[in-house]
């Protein structure tokens, strides 16, 4: 994809052609920044882990610290999984498939993509998918 220069205040608009070069550049930039932020946060977590074991003498304080670390590690694991979804979205941009529902082939609303740039389904398709999952779980 050629380098498109976007104004800092640019936001995709329904008044434009859907998934034109500017919109694609906007989402590509947003996804790349999101991934960079996740990687930077992961590096900070790794640096804290390398500082050494938790050494609080008080058992309650130590238990609280260990609980906090467990939560932090689970969060980082979810973010690691998120980076693969970001990579998949970036591939869809390169392949010209970004912004279209993988179930119906219809455009995903710009509002949804701005809120969740890794979205692969339209709101309607996502809702149907979730209803089907719920039915399957309940059986």
């Amino acid at each position: 994809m050629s380098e498109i220069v976007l104004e800092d205040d640019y936001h995709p608009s329904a008044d434009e052609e859907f998934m034109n070069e500017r919109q694609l550049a906007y989402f590509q930039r947003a996804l790349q920044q999101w991934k960079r932020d996740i990687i930077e946060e992961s590096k900070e977590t790794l640096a804290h882990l390398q500082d050494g074991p938790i050494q609080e003498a008080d058992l309650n304080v130590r238990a609280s610290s260990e609980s906090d670390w467990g939560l932090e590690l689970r969060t980082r694991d979810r973010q690691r999984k998120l980076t693969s979804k970001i990579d998949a979205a970036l591939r869809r941009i390169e392949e010209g498939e970004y912004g279209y529902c993988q179930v119906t082939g219809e455009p995903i609303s710009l509002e949804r993509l701005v809120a969740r740039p890794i979205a692969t389904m339209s709101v309607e398709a996502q809702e149907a998918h979730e209803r089907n999952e719920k039915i399957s779980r309940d059986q």
Side-chain angles (χ1 to χ4, degrees):
M1 188 172 166
S2 62
E3 188 66 29
I4 304 292
V5 178
L6 295 175
E7 304 82 26
D8 289 337
D9 62 346
Y10 172 78
H11 293 285
S13 166
D15 297 335
E16 306 171 78
E17 178 185 347
F18 186 72
M19 287 302 120
N20 63 53
E21 285 186 352
R22 292 178 74 204
Q23 288 181 355
L24 289 171
Y26 172 87
F27 287 111
Q28 184 177 44
R29 182 174 66 183
L31 287 160
Q32 289 170 338
Q33 184 60 51
W34 192 9
K35 184 176 177 179
R36 281 191 297 271
D37 292 344
I38 290 170
I39 290 170
E40 188 58 37
E41 288 172 8
S42 295
K43 288 178 184 175
E44 290 172 13
T45 298
L46 185 57
H48 286 120
L49 283 174
Q50 291 173 342
D51 286 344
I54 299 169
Q55 303 206 1
E56 283 87 356
D58 183 280
L59 291 178
N60 290 327
V61 174
R62 184 180 188 134
S64 178
S65 294
E66 288 175 356
S67 178
D68 290 347
W69 271 115
L71 178 61
E72 179 72 18
L73 292 173
R74 284 191 302 278
T75 299
R76 292 294 161 245
D77 187 52
R78 280 194 303 275
Q79 289 182 331
R80 179 188 54 80
K81 293 173 184 173
L82 181 58
T83 59
S84 67
K85 291 180 179 184
I86 293 170
D87 288 338
L90 289 167
R91 276 192 303 280
R92 287 193 305 278
I93 288 174
E94 293 299 321
E95 295 167 359
E97 299 172 1
Y98 184 80
Y100 294 91
C101 179
Q102 291 182 338
V103 175
T104 66
E106 295 294 316
I108 299 172
S109 73
L110 289 174
E111 294 83 9
R112 177 165 171 74
L113 290 171
V114 167
R116 185 152 179 86
I118 58 172
T120 59
M121 291 186 258
S122 65
V123 171
E124 297 80 11
Q126 183 71 43
E127 288 172 346
H129 175 73
E130 289 172 5
R131 277 192 305 275
N132 290 338
E133 273 189 349
K134 184 180 181 332
I135 290 170
S136 296
R137 275 195 313 266
D138 291 346
Q139 292 178 349

